[in-house]
């Protein structure tokens, strides 16, 4: 839109909000300067009209938190909330008289748990001083949420380090669980990871961890709480399967992302994957 001299029906460029086109027939508005709410409302209405004539589809309106006073006017014009972060609110508007194809906000939260086994068949466990397991006496593996932009294997090592002070080497994802309506109505993916300790002296996190220790894995599996709680039961079984059997999980394989100069990771059963120079190049 920037650079055009006029818009149909006599609406000039100065009457419209600056926006950038996307690859899906829509536009994105990044507001940075304060506008009088009434002026903003008029510009927004004129802009939507112009975008409709141009055949645009979805409109993304990013409101910095400093411009929250413009929110009511956007909602009055038919915009609705898509998502919010600490510094902005994102609103959307679907122009055509067809079902909206605007993708929904992120549907899942991602968590990790670390099974850390030493050479003595002991598993690293903690008792939490906060949360759902506070006061239950349950010994559990270190767990936590994956941060934005953080790899699963990095998150698993970080959570173990934060809760117990133990440094680890990531080995595999052993299994994962999906559940729904967990965190503010969102779904949850929880990855159970296998890690090898490279340090052994525990220094527990004072703010969230009541106790931490190395425990024989058979003792961990025999906890009455673990035998009744489905996830605990399978965590114990996975640890035993890894210690005693030839159980193979999924290890991270670096690969380049198409259209982006970034590296992502494919998690696969590396043990059984047929490696060759050609297959590695395709990854």
């Amino acid at each position: 839109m920037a650079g055009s001299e006029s818009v149909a029906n006599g609406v000039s460029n100065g009457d419209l909000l600056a926006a950038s086109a996307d690859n899906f027939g829509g536009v994105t508005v990044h507001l940075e300067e304060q506008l009088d709410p009434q002026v903003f409302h008029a510009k927004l209405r004129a802009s939507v009209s112009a975008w409709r004539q141009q055949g645009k589809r979805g409109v993304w309106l990013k409101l910095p938190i400093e411009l929250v006073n413009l929110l009511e006017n956007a909602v009055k014009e038919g915009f609705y909330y898509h998502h919010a972060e600490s510094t902005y609110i994102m609103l959307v508007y679907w122009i055509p008289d067809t079902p909206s194809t605007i993708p929904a906000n992120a549907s899942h939260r991602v968590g990790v748990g670390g099974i850390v086994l030493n050479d003595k068949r002991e598993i690293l466990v903690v008792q939490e001083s906060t949360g759902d397991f506070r006061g239950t006496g349950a010994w559990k593996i270190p767990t936590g949420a994956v941060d934005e932009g953080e790899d699963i294997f990095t998150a698993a090592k970080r959570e173990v380090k934060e809760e117990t002070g133990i440094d680890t080497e990531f080995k595999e994802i052993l299994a994962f669980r999906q559940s729904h309506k967990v965190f503010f109505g969102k779904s949850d993916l929880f990855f159970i990871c296998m890690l090898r300790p490279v340090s052994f002296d525990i220094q527990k996190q004072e703010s969230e961890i009541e106790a931490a220790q190395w425990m024989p894995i058979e003792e961990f599996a025999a906890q009455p709480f673990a035998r009744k709680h489905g996830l605990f039961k399978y965590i114990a079984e996975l640890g035993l399967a890894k210690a005693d059997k030839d159980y193979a999980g999924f290890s991270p394989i670096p690969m380049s992302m198409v259209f982006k100069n970034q590296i992502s990771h494919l998690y696969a059963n590396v043990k059984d994957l047929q490696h060759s120079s050609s297959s590695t190049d395709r990854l």
Side-chain angles (χ1 to χ4, degrees):
M1 293 178 58
S4 60
E5 296 181 357
S6 63
V7 179
N9 295 336
V11 179
S12 68
N13 222 23
D15 296 324
L16 305 180
L17 296 170
S20 57
D22 60 35
N23 294 329
F24 302 95
V27 295
T28 302
V29 180
H30 295 272
L31 289 177
E32 297 178 352
E33 298 181 358
Q34 188 63 259
L35 290 173
D36 177 85
Q38 297 305 315
V39 172
F40 165 73
H41 197 165
K43 284 178 173 285
L44 184 60
R45 178 171 294 179
S47 298
V48 170
S49 177
W51 295 327
R52 179 175 287 109
Q53 293 178 43
Q54 296 168 9
K56 299 298 183 183
R57 295 157 60 82
V59 181
W60 299 84
L61 176 60
K62 186 176 182 180
L63 278 181
I65 196 168
E66 297 84 2
L67 305 184
V68 70
N69 62 311
L70 304 179
L71 183 59
E72 181 179 0
N73 296 93
V75 172
K76 286 181 178 179
E77 202 55 38
F79 282 76
Y80 57 92
Y81 301 140
H82 187 269
H83 67 272
E85 295 292 346
S86 59
T87 59
Y88 71 86
I89 297 173
M90 183 70 80
L91 298 99
V92 291
Y93 183 85
W94 182 252
I95 295 177
D97 295 326
T98 59
S100 172
T101 61
I102 292 175
N105 186 25
S107 60
H108 284 69
R109 183 182 65 160
V110 179
V112 292
I115 295 178
V116 185
L117 289 175
N118 63 20
D119 293 336
K120 301 176 182 178
R121 292 177 57 84
E122 295 174 328
I123 185 171
L124 182 63
V125 292
V126 299
Q127 287 183 338
E128 295 179 341
S129 59
T130 62
D132 295 337
F133 297 103
R134 176 185 179 184
T136 64
W139 291 98
K140 58 184 289 293
I141 61 174
T143 60
V146 178
D147 291 336
E148 182 177 354
E150 185 178 39
D151 286 309
I152 291 171
F153 63 87
T154 304
K157 293 191 297 182
R158 174 182 56 77
E159 287 292 344
V160 170
K161 177 69 173 179
E162 288 178 356
E163 294 191 3
T164 69
I166 298 296
D167 294 304
T168 58
E169 175 188 3
F170 182 89
K171 303 300 291 184
E172 299 168 323
I173 291 175
L174 299 181
F176 70 91
R177 177 211 64 190
Q178 183 183 32
S179 54
H180 305 289
K181 303 297 181 183
V182 176
F183 188 74
F184 292 106
K186 299 295 183 182
S187 298
D188 183 87
L189 287 173
F190 181 72
F191 290 87
I192 302 169
C193 304
M194 184 74 195
L195 302 101
R196 185 181 69 85
V198 294
S199 68
F200 302 92
D201 294 330
I202 294 174
Q203 297 180 354
K204 73 178 182 70
Q205 184 183 47
E206 295 297 331
S207 60
E208 297 181 5
I209 301 303
E210 184 70 27
Q213 67 170 337
W214 292 101
M215 175 182 287
I217 190 168
E218 289 82 5
E219 183 179 337
F220 171 76
Q223 291 183 95
F225 186 87
R227 295 167 69 91
K228 295 178 181 179
H229 191 286
L231 183 60
F232 276 63
K233 176 178 179 291
Y234 281 108
I235 287 173
E237 290 185 5
L238 285 164
L240 287 167
K242 195 63 186 173
D244 298 332
K245 302 176 183 178
D246 199 23
Y247 183 94
F250 296 98
S251 300
I253 304 173
M255 64 178 188
S256 59
M257 292 181 65
V258 180
F259 306 124
K260 293 184 179 180
N261 187 24
Q262 298 179 15
I263 296 296
S264 63
H265 291 84
L266 171 72
Y267 291 84
N269 180 347
V270 178
K271 178 183 175 182
D272 297 327
L273 189 64
Q274 296 297 321
H275 284 289
S276 67
S277 58
S278 59
S279 63
T280 303
D281 290 343
R282 287 197 297 270
L283 293 175

